[in-house]
Amino acid sequence: MTAPKKLFIKTYGCQMNVYDSERMAEAMGGAGYEQVGRPEEADMILLNTCHIREKAAEKVYSELGRFKGLKAEKPDLKIGVAGCVAQAEGEEIMRRQPLVDLVVGPQAYHRLPEMEARARAGEKALDTDMPEEDKFEHLKSRPKARRGPTAFLTVQEGCDKFCAFCVVPYTRGAEVSRPVDRVLAEARDLVERGVREITLLGQNVNAYHGAGADGDWSLARLIWALNDIDGLERIRFTTSHPNDMSDDLIAAHGDCAKLMPYLHLPVQSGSDRILKRMNRSHTRDSYLRLIERIRAARPDILISGDFIVGFPEETDADFADTIDLIRQVGYGQAFSFKYSTRPGTPAAERAQVDPQLADARLQELQALITEQQRARQDAMVGQTVGVLFEKPGRLPGQMVGKSDHLHALHVDDCPAGVGELRQVRIVSSGPNSLAGVLA
C-alpha cells in the first residue's frame, strides 16, 4: 500500500474559511493526502487566505517567502494559495512568488485534486472561476471519522449588499444558498459523527433562501428542520445583516429551544451619515428598534456586534453617535477595527481619517465594549446555564466548554466528558471566561 502524502493547511480569517479548510482536507483526502500539523512534514502546503483586513495580500506574500528554504530542500513540495486573496490576486501570486504551484479561489476548491495532479505534472494550476455548479455537491466526505462536539456548516455564500468598505462581493461573488436537503443531510452526517452543536455559516447567513421541495426556505424554517434532528442539541448562526432579520427568525429566537441565546448582528457605526456613506441600507433607529424586537422575543439574548472606527470622513460627532448607540444597546461582546482601505472598494477613494485620531477613537470604543462585556459576565455569577464541554482544561480534572451565551467556561474536578451537555452554576467571572460547578 502506498503511504499517504502529507498536507499542511494554514487557515486565516473567518469561520467560513475554517469550514472551507476542512472541506479542502476532505477533497485532498480522496486524493491520498492526510493532514499534518507542521509545514516541514508536508508534501503539499495550502494557505487558505482572507482578504478582509489591511495588507492581507502582503502578509500572504511574506508567509510564502518563509517557505523558500523548505522548497529548496524538498523540490517536490507543492505550495498552493486558496481563498479570498487567491481570488483577488489570481495569477499575480505566481508572478510575484514563482514557488507557488497552484492558486484556487473559494468557489473552485472542489477542483483541488485535479489541480494538484496538474501541479505534480509540472504545470502551474490556476482556477479563480465562480462556476454555476454547486461545489459542495462535488465534495464527498471521507469515511465517517469522529468529530468534536461542535462544527461549522456553510449554508450560504456571497453577498449582494456591496457595503462601501467590503471586498466580499468581489471575492466570494453573489449570494448563493445551498439546497435544503443537502444542508440537512450534512447536518445529520455531522451528528452521526459526534457533533452536538452546529453553527450555520454565511457571509450574509440570514439572507438564506435555499431551495426546498415546496419552494425556497428561509433561515428560520431551516433552523426548525434542524431542531428536529435527534442528537443535535444546539444551533447557532453567523454572520447576519440587520436588513435580513425577518419576523420568523426573530420569533425562532423565542420559540426554538435549540437555537442558542446569542446573536451576532453587526451595525458598523451609530451615525446615520456614516451608515449611508457605508451603503449599509439601515439606519441607527431601525437597528435600535430591531434590537428591541429581538430582546422582546428572547430577553436573555446576548448581542454581539461589529464596529469600524475611523471610516473615511468620520467626524467627532459621528463617533459620538457610535458610542451613544453602544451605550444604548449594551453589548455582551463585539469586534471592533480601525478602518483599512480595500483597493477597488468605493471607500478607498475617499478622504481618510488621521490614523492617530482613529487609534484614539478605537481605544475609547474598545474600553467601553470591554466594560460592557465584563458587566454582562459578572451578572452571570449565580445563574445556572447549559454548557457543552469541548475539551480538557490546562489543570488536571478541569473541563472547558461554551455556555448557551457562548461564554468560555471551565469547571474544576469535572466528571463530565467531551461532548456532554450539562447544567453549570456560575461561581466566578474572569477577564475573558467564567468558572462554574456542575449544578
Side-chain angles (χ1 to χ4, degrees), residues 385-402 408-416 422-428 433-439:
V385 297
V387 175
L388 179 60
F389 290 105
E390 299 177 18
K391 60 184 179 180
R394 287 178 292 181
L395 302 177
Q398 187 183 73
M399 292 295 294
V400 298
K402 293 289 196 308
L409 190 148
H410 66 269
V411 175
D412 293 335
D413 300 318
C414 181
R422 301 287 290 270
Q423 292 295 301
V424 172
R425 182 170 56 82
I426 299 169
V427 296
S428 67
S433 64
L434 300 167
V437 296
L438 294 185

PDB file of all heavy atoms in Angstrom, residues 385-402 408-416 422-428 433-439:
ATOM      1  N   VAL A 385     -26.534  27.740  33.767  1.00  0.00           N
ATOM      2  CA  VAL A 385     -26.604  27.749  32.307  1.00  0.00           C
ATOM      3  C   VAL A 385     -26.206  26.385  31.757  1.00  0.00           C
ATOM      4  O   VAL A 385     -25.536  25.602  32.435  1.00  0.00           O
ATOM      5  CB  VAL A 385     -25.663  28.836  31.713  1.00  0.00           C
ATOM      6  CG1 VAL A 385     -26.093  30.225  32.140  1.00  0.00           C
ATOM      7  CG2 VAL A 385     -24.210  28.572  32.091  1.00  0.00           C
ATOM      8  N   GLY A 386     -26.604  26.125  30.534  1.00  0.00           N
ATOM      9  CA  GLY A 386     -26.142  24.929  29.859  1.00  0.00           C
ATOM     10  C   GLY A 386     -24.725  25.130  29.351  1.00  0.00           C
ATOM     11  O   GLY A 386     -24.373  26.206  28.873  1.00  0.00           O
ATOM     12  N   VAL A 387     -23.901  24.096  29.465  1.00  0.00           N
ATOM     13  CA  VAL A 387     -22.517  24.144  28.980  1.00  0.00           C
ATOM     14  C   VAL A 387     -22.236  22.873  28.191  1.00  0.00           C
ATOM     15  O   VAL A 387     -22.483  21.762  28.680  1.00  0.00           O
ATOM     16  CB  VAL A 387     -21.502  24.294  30.129  1.00  0.00           C
ATOM     17  CG1 VAL A 387     -20.077  24.207  29.606  1.00  0.00           C
ATOM     18  CG2 VAL A 387     -21.719  25.610  30.872  1.00  0.00           C
ATOM     19  N   LEU A 388     -21.733  23.040  26.978  1.00  0.00           N
ATOM     20  CA  LEU A 388     -21.282  21.913  26.173  1.00  0.00           C
ATOM     21  C   LEU A 388     -19.777  21.808  26.340  1.00  0.00           C
ATOM     22  O   LEU A 388     -19.035  22.718  25.930  1.00  0.00           O
ATOM     23  CB  LEU A 388     -21.645  22.112  24.701  1.00  0.00           C
ATOM     24  CG  LEU A 388     -21.195  21.005  23.738  1.00  0.00           C
ATOM     25  CD1 LEU A 388     -21.815  19.668  24.113  1.00  0.00           C
ATOM     26  CD2 LEU A 388     -21.527  21.376  22.297  1.00  0.00           C
ATOM     27  N   PHE A 389     -19.308  20.716  26.955  1.00  0.00           N
ATOM     28  CA  PHE A 389     -17.879  20.562  27.208  1.00  0.00           C
ATOM     29  C   PHE A 389     -17.167  20.102  25.940  1.00  0.00           C
ATOM     30  O   PHE A 389     -17.569  19.131  25.295  1.00  0.00           O
ATOM     31  CB  PHE A 389     -17.645  19.593  28.362  1.00  0.00           C
ATOM     32  CG  PHE A 389     -18.067  20.152  29.690  1.00  0.00           C
ATOM     33  CD1 PHE A 389     -19.236  19.724  30.311  1.00  0.00           C
ATOM     34  CD2 PHE A 389     -17.313  21.145  30.304  1.00  0.00           C
ATOM     35  CE1 PHE A 389     -19.636  20.263  31.520  1.00  0.00           C
ATOM     36  CE2 PHE A 389     -17.705  21.693  31.520  1.00  0.00           C
ATOM     37  CZ  PHE A 389     -18.866  21.254  32.126  1.00  0.00           C
ATOM     38  N   GLU A 390     -16.092  20.829  25.607  1.00  0.00           N
ATOM     39  CA  GLU A 390     -15.406  20.615  24.332  1.00  0.00           C
ATOM     40  C   GLU A 390     -14.033  19.972  24.468  1.00  0.00           C
ATOM     41  O   GLU A 390     -13.564  19.296  23.546  1.00  0.00           O
ATOM     42  CB  GLU A 390     -15.260  21.950  23.590  1.00  0.00           C
ATOM     43  CG  GLU A 390     -16.590  22.604  23.251  1.00  0.00           C
ATOM     44  CD  GLU A 390     -16.430  23.947  22.574  1.00  0.00           C
ATOM     45  OE1 GLU A 390     -15.324  24.231  22.058  1.00  0.00           O
ATOM     46  OE2 GLU A 390     -17.408  24.716  22.536  1.00  0.00           O
ATOM     47  N   LYS A 391     -13.360  20.181  25.608  1.00  0.00           N
ATOM     48  CA  LYS A 391     -12.002  19.633  25.743  1.00  0.00           C
ATOM     49  C   LYS A 391     -11.550  19.730  27.197  1.00  0.00           C
ATOM     50  O   LYS A 391     -12.098  20.520  27.978  1.00  0.00           O
ATOM     51  CB  LYS A 391     -11.023  20.402  24.854  1.00  0.00           C
ATOM     52  CG  LYS A 391     -10.942  21.894  25.186  1.00  0.00           C
ATOM     53  CD  LYS A 391     -10.037  22.629  24.205  1.00  0.00           C
ATOM     54  CE  LYS A 391     -10.001  24.124  24.559  1.00  0.00           C
ATOM     55  NZ  LYS A 391      -9.127  24.881  23.622  1.00  0.00           N
ATOM     56  N   PRO A 392     -10.519  18.963  27.561  1.00  0.00           N
ATOM     57  CA  PRO A 392      -9.935  19.113  28.896  1.00  0.00           C
ATOM     58  C   PRO A 392      -9.262  20.479  29.021  1.00  0.00           C
ATOM     59  O   PRO A 392      -8.770  21.043  28.045  1.00  0.00           O
ATOM     60  CB  PRO A 392      -8.907  17.979  28.973  1.00  0.00           C
ATOM     61  CG  PRO A 392      -9.308  17.020  27.906  1.00  0.00           C
ATOM     62  CD  PRO A 392      -9.923  17.835  26.813  1.00  0.00           C
ATOM     63  N   GLY A 393      -9.223  20.987  30.249  1.00  0.00           N
ATOM     64  CA  GLY A 393      -8.553  22.249  30.502  1.00  0.00           C
ATOM     65  C   GLY A 393      -7.073  22.056  30.788  1.00  0.00           C
ATOM     66  O   GLY A 393      -6.523  20.956  30.652  1.00  0.00           O
ATOM     67  N   ARG A 394      -6.425  23.121  31.209  1.00  0.00           N
ATOM     68  CA  ARG A 394      -4.982  23.063  31.468  1.00  0.00           C
ATOM     69  C   ARG A 394      -4.651  22.371  32.779  1.00  0.00           C
ATOM     70  O   ARG A 394      -3.554  21.856  32.962  1.00  0.00           O
ATOM     71  CB  ARG A 394      -4.412  24.491  31.470  1.00  0.00           C
ATOM     72  CG  ARG A 394      -4.337  25.120  30.085  1.00  0.00           C
ATOM     73  CD  ARG A 394      -3.822  26.536  30.139  1.00  0.00           C
ATOM     74  NE  ARG A 394      -4.783  27.433  30.794  1.00  0.00           N
ATOM     75  CZ  ARG A 394      -4.601  28.737  30.953  1.00  0.00           C
ATOM     76  NH1 ARG A 394      -3.479  29.300  30.546  1.00  0.00           N
ATOM     77  NH2 ARG A 394      -5.517  29.483  31.532  1.00  0.00           N
ATOM     78  N   LEU A 395      -5.602  22.383  33.718  1.00  0.00           N
ATOM     79  CA  LEU A 395      -5.364  21.752  35.025  1.00  0.00           C
ATOM     80  C   LEU A 395      -5.915  20.325  35.032  1.00  0.00           C
ATOM     81  O   LEU A 395      -6.902  20.031  34.342  1.00  0.00           O
ATOM     82  CB  LEU A 395      -6.034  22.570  36.130  1.00  0.00           C
ATOM     83  CG  LEU A 395      -5.604  24.031  36.257  1.00  0.00           C
ATOM     84  CD1 LEU A 395      -6.411  24.727  37.346  1.00  0.00           C
ATOM     85  CD2 LEU A 395      -4.108  24.118  36.563  1.00  0.00           C
ATOM     86  N   PRO A 396      -5.329  19.436  35.804  1.00  0.00           N
ATOM     87  CA  PRO A 396      -5.852  18.063  35.900  1.00  0.00           C
ATOM     88  C   PRO A 396      -7.301  18.059  36.363  1.00  0.00           C
ATOM     89  O   PRO A 396      -7.658  18.743  37.331  1.00  0.00           O
ATOM     90  CB  PRO A 396      -4.926  17.412  36.939  1.00  0.00           C
ATOM     91  CG  PRO A 396      -3.658  18.214  36.892  1.00  0.00           C
ATOM     92  CD  PRO A 396      -4.094  19.623  36.591  1.00  0.00           C
ATOM     93  N   GLY A 397      -8.140  17.321  35.657  1.00  0.00           N
ATOM     94  CA  GLY A 397      -9.545  17.211  36.034  1.00  0.00           C
ATOM     95  C   GLY A 397     -10.424  18.347  35.561  1.00  0.00           C
ATOM     96  O   GLY A 397     -11.644  18.312  35.735  1.00  0.00           O
ATOM     97  N   GLN A 398      -9.825  19.370  34.966  1.00  0.00           N
ATOM     98  CA  GLN A 398     -10.597  20.530  34.519  1.00  0.00           C
ATOM     99  C   GLN A 398     -11.166  20.287  33.120  1.00  0.00           C
ATOM    100  O   GLN A 398     -10.510  19.714  32.257  1.00  0.00           O
ATOM    101  CB  GLN A 398      -9.700  21.774  34.499  1.00  0.00           C
ATOM    102  CG  GLN A 398     -10.423  23.075  34.201  1.00  0.00           C
ATOM    103  CD  GLN A 398      -9.442  24.245  34.129  1.00  0.00           C
ATOM    104  OE1 GLN A 398      -8.691  24.364  33.173  1.00  0.00           O
ATOM    105  NE2 GLN A 398      -9.441  25.086  35.169  1.00  0.00           N
ATOM    106  N   MET A 399     -12.408  20.720  32.891  1.00  0.00           N
ATOM    107  CA  MET A 399     -13.032  20.660  31.573  1.00  0.00           C
ATOM    108  C   MET A 399     -13.484  22.055  31.165  1.00  0.00           C
ATOM    109  O   MET A 399     -13.915  22.855  32.010  1.00  0.00           O
ATOM    110  CB  MET A 399     -14.235  19.715  31.575  1.00  0.00           C
ATOM    111  CG  MET A 399     -13.879  18.250  31.756  1.00  0.00           C
ATOM    112  SD  MET A 399     -12.920  17.583  30.370  1.00  0.00           S
ATOM    113  CE  MET A 399     -14.122  17.688  29.046  1.00  0.00           C
ATOM    114  N   VAL A 400     -13.369  22.356  29.859  1.00  0.00           N
ATOM    115  CA  VAL A 400     -13.758  23.673  29.357  1.00  0.00           C
ATOM    116  C   VAL A 400     -14.774  23.502  28.231  1.00  0.00           C
ATOM    117  O   VAL A 400     -14.783  22.494  27.513  1.00  0.00           O
ATOM    118  CB  VAL A 400     -12.547  24.493  28.869  1.00  0.00           C
ATOM    119  CG1 VAL A 400     -11.585  24.760  29.994  1.00  0.00           C
ATOM    120  CG2 VAL A 400     -11.838  23.793  27.719  1.00  0.00           C
ATOM    121  N   GLY A 401     -15.619  24.488  28.109  1.00  0.00           N
ATOM    122  CA  GLY A 401     -16.642  24.465  27.067  1.00  0.00           C
ATOM    123  C   GLY A 401     -17.241  25.835  26.885  1.00  0.00           C
ATOM    124  O   GLY A 401     -16.689  26.846  27.337  1.00  0.00           O
ATOM    125  N   LYS A 402     -18.393  25.873  26.201  1.00  0.00           N
ATOM    126  CA  LYS A 402     -19.079  27.130  25.927  1.00  0.00           C
ATOM    127  C   LYS A 402     -20.473  27.085  26.541  1.00  0.00           C
ATOM    128  O   LYS A 402     -21.178  26.075  26.475  1.00  0.00           O
ATOM    129  CB  LYS A 402     -19.203  27.365  24.423  1.00  0.00           C
ATOM    130  CG  LYS A 402     -17.875  27.603  23.715  1.00  0.00           C
ATOM    131  CD  LYS A 402     -17.271  28.954  24.073  1.00  0.00           C
ATOM    132  CE  LYS A 402     -16.178  29.371  23.100  1.00  0.00           C
ATOM    133  NZ  LYS A 402     -15.144  28.363  22.888  1.00  0.00           N
ATOM    134  N   ALA A 408     -16.878  31.433  27.235  1.00  0.00           N
ATOM    135  CA  ALA A 408     -15.949  30.374  27.605  1.00  0.00           C
ATOM    136  C   ALA A 408     -16.111  30.097  29.104  1.00  0.00           C
ATOM    137  O   ALA A 408     -16.220  31.026  29.909  1.00  0.00           O
ATOM    138  CB  ALA A 408     -14.520  30.804  27.303  1.00  0.00           C
ATOM    139  N   LEU A 409     -16.132  28.819  29.473  1.00  0.00           N
ATOM    140  CA  LEU A 409     -16.418  28.458  30.871  1.00  0.00           C
ATOM    141  C   LEU A 409     -15.640  27.199  31.232  1.00  0.00           C
ATOM    142  O   LEU A 409     -15.516  26.284  30.417  1.00  0.00           O
ATOM    143  CB  LEU A 409     -17.925  28.224  31.040  1.00  0.00           C
ATOM    144  CG  LEU A 409     -18.463  28.076  32.461  1.00  0.00           C
ATOM    145  CD1 LEU A 409     -19.885  28.628  32.557  1.00  0.00           C
ATOM    146  CD2 LEU A 409     -18.444  26.629  32.923  1.00  0.00           C
ATOM    147  N   HIS A 410     -15.102  27.156  32.455  1.00  0.00           N
ATOM    148  CA  HIS A 410     -14.392  25.963  32.900  1.00  0.00           C
ATOM    149  C   HIS A 410     -14.935  25.492  34.239  1.00  0.00           C
ATOM    150  O   HIS A 410     -15.437  26.282  35.053  1.00  0.00           O
ATOM    151  CB  HIS A 410     -12.873  26.206  33.004  1.00  0.00           C
ATOM    152  CG  HIS A 410     -12.469  27.187  34.058  1.00  0.00           C
ATOM    153  ND1 HIS A 410     -12.336  28.545  33.820  1.00  0.00           N
ATOM    154  CD2 HIS A 410     -12.155  27.005  35.370  1.00  0.00           C
ATOM    155  CE1 HIS A 410     -11.966  29.152  34.926  1.00  0.00           C
ATOM    156  NE2 HIS A 410     -11.846  28.249  35.886  1.00  0.00           N
ATOM    157  N   VAL A 411     -14.835  24.184  34.438  1.00  0.00           N
ATOM    158  CA  VAL A 411     -15.251  23.549  35.691  1.00  0.00           C
ATOM    159  C   VAL A 411     -14.092  22.695  36.183  1.00  0.00           C
ATOM    160  O   VAL A 411     -13.580  21.842  35.446  1.00  0.00           O
ATOM    161  CB  VAL A 411     -16.502  22.670  35.487  1.00  0.00           C
ATOM    162  CG1 VAL A 411     -16.843  21.917  36.771  1.00  0.00           C
ATOM    163  CG2 VAL A 411     -17.687  23.524  35.034  1.00  0.00           C
ATOM    164  N   ASP A 412     -13.649  22.931  37.413  1.00  0.00           N
ATOM    165  CA  ASP A 412     -12.575  22.132  38.009  1.00  0.00           C
ATOM    166  C   ASP A 412     -13.140  20.819  38.564  1.00  0.00           C
ATOM    167  O   ASP A 412     -14.322  20.741  38.939  1.00  0.00           O
ATOM    168  CB  ASP A 412     -11.892  22.915  39.127  1.00  0.00           C
ATOM    169  CG  ASP A 412     -11.134  24.138  38.599  1.00  0.00           C
ATOM    170  OD1 ASP A 412     -10.736  24.112  37.417  1.00  0.00           O
ATOM    171  OD2 ASP A 412     -10.957  25.109  39.369  1.00  0.00           O
ATOM    172  N   ASP A 413     -12.276  19.799  38.621  1.00  0.00           N
ATOM    173  CA  ASP A 413     -12.675  18.487  39.148  1.00  0.00           C
ATOM    174  C   ASP A 413     -14.000  18.034  38.532  1.00  0.00           C
ATOM    175  O   ASP A 413     -14.944  17.643  39.230  1.00  0.00           O
ATOM    176  CB  ASP A 413     -12.798  18.533  40.676  1.00  0.00           C
ATOM    177  CG  ASP A 413     -11.477  18.917  41.337  1.00  0.00           C
ATOM    178  OD1 ASP A 413     -10.432  18.416  40.888  1.00  0.00           O
ATOM    179  OD2 ASP A 413     -11.505  19.723  42.289  1.00  0.00           O
ATOM    180  N   CYS A 414     -14.054  18.107  37.207  1.00  0.00           N
ATOM    181  CA  CYS A 414     -15.309  17.892  36.486  1.00  0.00           C
ATOM    182  C   CYS A 414     -15.418  16.447  36.000  1.00  0.00           C
ATOM    183  O   CYS A 414     -14.553  15.978  35.247  1.00  0.00           O
ATOM    184  CB  CYS A 414     -15.383  18.846  35.297  1.00  0.00           C
ATOM    185  SG  CYS A 414     -16.903  18.710  34.343  1.00  0.00           S
ATOM    186  N   PRO A 415     -16.483  15.737  36.387  1.00  0.00           N
ATOM    187  CA  PRO A 415     -16.644  14.353  35.924  1.00  0.00           C
ATOM    188  C   PRO A 415     -17.227  14.244  34.515  1.00  0.00           C
ATOM    189  O   PRO A 415     -17.257  13.156  33.944  1.00  0.00           O
ATOM    190  CB  PRO A 415     -17.611  13.760  36.957  1.00  0.00           C
ATOM    191  CG  PRO A 415     -18.430  14.928  37.409  1.00  0.00           C
ATOM    192  CD  PRO A 415     -17.508  16.120  37.384  1.00  0.00           C
ATOM    193  N   ALA A 416     -17.708  15.356  33.953  1.00  0.00           N
ATOM    194  CA  ALA A 416     -18.297  15.318  32.614  1.00  0.00           C
ATOM    195  C   ALA A 416     -17.210  15.132  31.561  1.00  0.00           C
ATOM    196  O   ALA A 416     -16.075  15.584  31.724  1.00  0.00           O
ATOM    197  CB  ALA A 416     -19.070  16.606  32.342  1.00  0.00           C
ATOM    198  N   ARG A 422     -24.154  19.794  30.070  1.00  0.00           N
ATOM    199  CA  ARG A 422     -24.552  19.748  31.482  1.00  0.00           C
ATOM    200  C   ARG A 422     -24.963  21.139  31.959  1.00  0.00           C
ATOM    201  O   ARG A 422     -24.556  22.164  31.408  1.00  0.00           O
ATOM    202  CB  ARG A 422     -23.376  19.240  32.335  1.00  0.00           C
ATOM    203  CG  ARG A 422     -22.867  17.861  31.951  1.00  0.00           C
ATOM    204  CD  ARG A 422     -23.817  16.753  32.372  1.00  0.00           C
ATOM    205  NE  ARG A 422     -23.820  16.594  33.830  1.00  0.00           N
ATOM    206  CZ  ARG A 422     -22.986  15.778  34.476  1.00  0.00           C
ATOM    207  NH1 ARG A 422     -22.087  15.052  33.819  1.00  0.00           N
ATOM    208  NH2 ARG A 422     -23.057  15.669  35.781  1.00  0.00           N
ATOM    209  N   GLN A 423     -25.765  21.147  33.016  1.00  0.00           N
ATOM    210  CA  GLN A 423     -26.125  22.397  33.664  1.00  0.00           C
ATOM    211  C   GLN A 423     -25.023  22.779  34.646  1.00  0.00           C
ATOM    212  O   GLN A 423     -24.561  21.952  35.436  1.00  0.00           O
ATOM    213  CB  GLN A 423     -27.463  22.252  34.394  1.00  0.00           C
ATOM    214  CG  GLN A 423     -28.657  22.063  33.469  1.00  0.00           C
ATOM    215  CD  GLN A 423     -28.907  23.291  32.604  1.00  0.00           C
ATOM    216  OE1 GLN A 423     -29.132  24.388  33.114  1.00  0.00           O
ATOM    217  NE2 GLN A 423     -28.844  23.106  31.290  1.00  0.00           N
ATOM    218  N   VAL A 424     -24.610  24.030  34.587  1.00  0.00           N
ATOM    219  CA  VAL A 424     -23.498  24.509  35.404  1.00  0.00           C
ATOM    220  C   VAL A 424     -23.914  25.793  36.117  1.00  0.00           C
ATOM    221  O   VAL A 424     -24.484  26.702  35.497  1.00  0.00           O
ATOM    222  CB  VAL A 424     -22.248  24.779  34.525  1.00  0.00           C
ATOM    223  CG1 VAL A 424     -21.153  25.462  35.341  1.00  0.00           C
ATOM    224  CG2 VAL A 424     -21.735  23.481  33.919  1.00  0.00           C
ATOM    225  N   ARG A 425     -23.629  25.840  37.413  1.00  0.00           N
ATOM    226  CA  ARG A 425     -23.864  27.075  38.172  1.00  0.00           C
ATOM    227  C   ARG A 425     -22.585  27.901  38.158  1.00  0.00           C
ATOM    228  O   ARG A 425     -21.512  27.412  38.524  1.00  0.00           O
ATOM    229  CB  ARG A 425     -24.276  26.756  39.614  1.00  0.00           C
ATOM    230  CG  ARG A 425     -24.591  28.023  40.448  1.00  0.00           C
ATOM    231  CD  ARG A 425     -25.233  27.645  41.785  1.00  0.00           C
ATOM    232  NE  ARG A 425     -24.415  26.728  42.546  1.00  0.00           N
ATOM    233  CZ  ARG A 425     -23.375  27.106  43.309  1.00  0.00           C
ATOM    234  NH1 ARG A 425     -23.046  28.388  43.409  1.00  0.00           N
ATOM    235  NH2 ARG A 425     -22.693  26.194  43.982  1.00  0.00           N
ATOM    236  N   ILE A 426     -22.688  29.147  37.745  1.00  0.00           N
ATOM    237  CA  ILE A 426     -21.522  30.009  37.596  1.00  0.00           C
ATOM    238  C   ILE A 426     -21.154  30.585  38.956  1.00  0.00           C
ATOM    239  O   ILE A 426     -21.995  31.152  39.662  1.00  0.00           O
ATOM    240  CB  ILE A 426     -21.803  31.129  36.576  1.00  0.00           C
ATOM    241  CG1 ILE A 426     -22.108  30.517  35.211  1.00  0.00           C
ATOM    242  CG2 ILE A 426     -20.618  32.083  36.473  1.00  0.00           C
ATOM    243  CD1 ILE A 426     -22.656  31.485  34.201  1.00  0.00           C
ATOM    244  N   VAL A 427     -19.858  30.431  39.322  1.00  0.00           N
ATOM    245  CA  VAL A 427     -19.415  30.862  40.645  1.00  0.00           C
ATOM    246  C   VAL A 427     -18.472  32.058  40.592  1.00  0.00           C
ATOM    247  O   VAL A 427     -18.293  32.757  41.592  1.00  0.00           O
ATOM    248  CB  VAL A 427     -18.737  29.706  41.409  1.00  0.00           C
ATOM    249  CG1 VAL A 427     -19.743  28.595  41.680  1.00  0.00           C
ATOM    250  CG2 VAL A 427     -17.527  29.167  40.646  1.00  0.00           C
ATOM    251  N   SER A 428     -17.844  32.316  39.439  1.00  0.00           N
ATOM    252  CA  SER A 428     -16.964  33.476  39.346  1.00  0.00           C
ATOM    253  C   SER A 428     -16.782  33.892  37.897  1.00  0.00           C
ATOM    254  O   SER A 428     -16.997  33.108  36.972  1.00  0.00           O
ATOM    255  CB  SER A 428     -15.592  33.205  39.994  1.00  0.00           C
ATOM    256  OG  SER A 428     -14.887  32.235  39.246  1.00  0.00           O
ATOM    257  N   SER A 433     -13.477  34.773  30.743  1.00  0.00           N
ATOM    258  CA  SER A 433     -14.160  33.481  30.885  1.00  0.00           C
ATOM    259  C   SER A 433     -14.874  33.423  32.233  1.00  0.00           C
ATOM    260  O   SER A 433     -14.673  34.269  33.114  1.00  0.00           O
ATOM    261  CB  SER A 433     -13.161  32.335  30.777  1.00  0.00           C
ATOM    262  OG  SER A 433     -12.229  32.378  31.851  1.00  0.00           O
ATOM    263  N   LEU A 434     -15.690  32.377  32.373  1.00  0.00           N
ATOM    264  CA  LEU A 434     -16.429  32.127  33.593  1.00  0.00           C
ATOM    265  C   LEU A 434     -15.963  30.820  34.218  1.00  0.00           C
ATOM    266  O   LEU A 434     -15.442  29.939  33.523  1.00  0.00           O
ATOM    267  CB  LEU A 434     -17.925  32.029  33.294  1.00  0.00           C
ATOM    268  CG  LEU A 434     -18.590  33.265  32.666  1.00  0.00           C
ATOM    269  CD1 LEU A 434     -19.976  32.913  32.149  1.00  0.00           C
ATOM    270  CD2 LEU A 434     -18.659  34.403  33.676  1.00  0.00           C
ATOM    271  N   ALA A 435     -16.168  30.688  35.536  1.00  0.00           N
ATOM    272  CA  ALA A 435     -15.887  29.433  36.243  1.00  0.00           C
ATOM    273  C   ALA A 435     -17.170  28.962  36.887  1.00  0.00           C
ATOM    274  O   ALA A 435     -17.993  29.765  37.334  1.00  0.00           O
ATOM    275  CB  ALA A 435     -14.798  29.625  37.290  1.00  0.00           C
ATOM    276  N   GLY A 436     -17.374  27.637  36.922  1.00  0.00           N
ATOM    277  CA  GLY A 436     -18.609  27.132  37.490  1.00  0.00           C
ATOM    278  C   GLY A 436     -18.446  25.779  38.128  1.00  0.00           C
ATOM    279  O   GLY A 436     -17.357  25.177  38.128  1.00  0.00           O
ATOM    280  N   VAL A 437     -19.543  25.285  38.674  1.00  0.00           N
ATOM    281  CA  VAL A 437     -19.619  23.941  39.225  1.00  0.00           C
ATOM    282  C   VAL A 437     -20.852  23.273  38.648  1.00  0.00           C
ATOM    283  O   VAL A 437     -21.836  23.937  38.308  1.00  0.00           O
ATOM    284  CB  VAL A 437     -19.694  23.951  40.783  1.00  0.00           C
ATOM    285  CG1 VAL A 437     -18.421  24.523  41.393  1.00  0.00           C
ATOM    286  CG2 VAL A 437     -20.926  24.743  41.258  1.00  0.00           C
ATOM    287  N   LEU A 438     -20.795  21.939  38.499  1.00  0.00           N
ATOM    288  CA  LEU A 438     -21.965  21.232  37.986  1.00  0.00           C
ATOM    289  C   LEU A 438     -23.138  21.451  38.914  1.00  0.00           C
ATOM    290  O   LEU A 438     -23.020  21.345  40.125  1.00  0.00           O
ATOM    291  CB  LEU A 438     -21.662  19.733  37.844  1.00  0.00           C
ATOM    292  CG  LEU A 438     -20.613  19.339  36.795  1.00  0.00           C
ATOM    293  CD1 LEU A 438     -20.540  17.828  36.701  1.00  0.00           C
ATOM    294  CD2 LEU A 438     -20.914  19.947  35.440  1.00  0.00           C
ATOM    295  N   ALA A 439     -24.275  21.744  38.311  1.00  0.00           N
ATOM    296  CA  ALA A 439     -25.473  22.034  39.115  1.00  0.00           C
ATOM    297  C   ALA A 439     -26.137  20.744  39.528  1.00  0.00           C
ATOM    298  O   ALA A 439     -26.154  19.774  38.760  1.00  0.00           O
ATOM    299  CB  ALA A 439     -26.438  22.880  38.312  1.00  0.00           C
TER     300      ALA A 439
END
